[in-house]
Amino acid sequence: MAVETEARPEAGSAPQMASKVTSKVPAAENTLRILKLLASRRGPMAASQIASTLGLPRSSVYHLLGVMEANGFVLHLHEEQRYGLGISAFELSSAYSRQEPLSRLGRPLLASLVDALGESAHLAVLHGRDVLYIVEERAKNRPSLVTDVGVRLPSHLTASGRAILAALPKSQVRALYPNAAAFTARHEVEGAIMKYSALSSHLDRVRQRGYATEHGEVTPGFGSIAAAVTDHLGWPTAAVAVTFLEDKLPAEQWPALAARVQKVADELSLRLHGRPAK
């Protein structure tokens, strides 16, 4: 496969270049656009591709990339003549994780949902083949659940996990569940998902109706409804779920409850990523 090569223009010193671009708001905005573009791609990009994608002059892109490279936010791959994210971008990501914005933003939304519904709610993220619960808001006079903060459960058993898996590319779901050994069960329930074909069919139904459900696979007698929190590209960040005693909530009420859960998931998507999930 041929690799595009480009001649890099002579660059001035990093301080000189930084003073030129950081003093102008358009340059600052374009720097952020480049970072967001690189973050959205699977691999490094050529400067000419960055320029054409963003509609920017190639010379401006080279100057911005030079400043970003000098400060560690992009890495220039000389052999490929392409640019990828640098260690400073990774450090920003790590700092973002340390500040726990997902749980901080999600907790008040879940608390309001619990107050409105009178049922317990939780927020979970995908961790390998499991979901990891990072927020739990327990409703008054409701029994404690296994979905406490820090608990991990197989994603294919939970409504939260199914909501997230349904928003992933099918190829990635297949990679997470390559064989029968990847499937486990907590209880013997009718229609348990114990093979990939069953999981794939179930996730198709989740995509069609827009929310995920679980019927006693985690705790007998308890059901859950969940919706994915996604970024502007549709990639799942987390899932919001509500858990309740199934005999207390008739099946015909589940779609209305799902709409409430979806509304909270959309609001969290908006707060995290600055735009509604699509």
Side-chain angles (χ1 to χ4, degrees):
M1 178 179 178
V3 176
E4 179 184 350
T5 60
E6 300 182 15
R8 301 179 73 198
E10 291 293 323
S13 65
Q16 289 176 334
M17 293 170 61
S19 65
K20 291 179 181 178
V21 299
T22 57
S23 63
K24 298 181 180 180
V25 172
E29 182 178 354
N30 289 333
T31 299
L32 295 175
R33 291 177 66 200
I34 292 172
L35 283 173
K36 291 177 68 175
L37 176 63
L38 290 174
S40 71
R41 297 304 175 96
R42 300 287 184 181
M45 299 178 66
S48 60
Q49 185 182 9
I50 295 172
S52 61
T53 301
L54 298 178
L56 297 173
R58 189 180 297 192
S59 60
S60 297
V61 169
Y62 272 120
H63 280 92
L64 293 175
L65 287 171
V67 176
M68 294 159 70
E69 182 184 4
N71 287 278
F73 284 94
V74 300
L75 179 68
H76 183 239
L77 306 173
H78 295 273
E79 291 78 11
E80 300 181 36
Q81 291 296 300
R82 280 167 165 74
Y83 292 85
L85 292 175
I87 190 65
S88 293
F90 173 76
E91 289 171 349
L92 279 181
S93 174
S94 299
Y96 178 89
S97 299
R98 287 195 301 272
Q99 292 179 13
E100 301 179 325
L102 185 56
S103 58
R104 288 175 180 269
L105 290 173
R107 187 171 288 108
L109 293 176
L110 263 65
S112 296
L113 182 64
V114 169
D115 288 343
L117 300 178
E119 302 291 351
S120 298
H122 40 263
L123 183 68
V125 296
L126 192 66
H127 194 278
R129 273 199 299 267
D130 296 337
V131 285
L132 173 66
Y133 293 91
I134 62 173
V135 176
E136 185 195 29
E137 288 291 331
R138 189 181 306 169
K140 186 178 181 180
N141 298 324
R142 288 295 186 267
S144 60
L145 304 170
V146 299
T147 52
D148 201 356
V149 173
V151 169
R152 289 172 50 164
L153 291 173
S155 60
H156 66 280
L157 297 181
T158 70
S160 297
R162 293 167 182 175
I164 295 172
L165 293 175
L168 289 174
K170 291 186 177 183
S171 58
Q172 184 159 348
V173 177
R174 184 55 168 163
L176 288 171
Y177 291 90
N179 49 47
F183 293 87
T184 59
R186 287 172 58 87
H187 310 284
E188 290 187 10
V189 296
E190 185 178 352
I193 297 176
M194 295 302 294
K195 56 184 180 180
Y196 179 75
S197 59
L199 176 62
S200 181
S201 296
H202 185 89
L203 296 181
D204 284 340
R205 293 193 293 273
V206 173
R207 297 183 189 100
Q208 290 170 4
R209 68 183 174 222
Y211 62 90
T213 60
E214 175 254 316
H215 299 269
E217 286 101 325
V218 175
T219 303
F222 283 86
S224 292
I225 292 175
V229 176
T230 59
D231 65 16
H232 63 289
L233 298 175
W235 194 266
T237 303
V240 173
V242 169
T243 299
F244 46 86
L245 285 165
E246 289 198 75
D247 62 3
K248 300 294 185 182
L249 191 71
E252 58 268 22
Q253 295 183 19
W254 286 42
L257 178 58
R260 300 289 294 271
V261 174
Q262 183 65 66
K263 184 177 180 180
V264 172
D266 287 345
E267 176 61 24
L268 184 52
S269 298
L270 179 63
R271 293 189 182 190
L272 280 170
H273 306 293
R275 65 193 75 185
K278 295 295 183 182

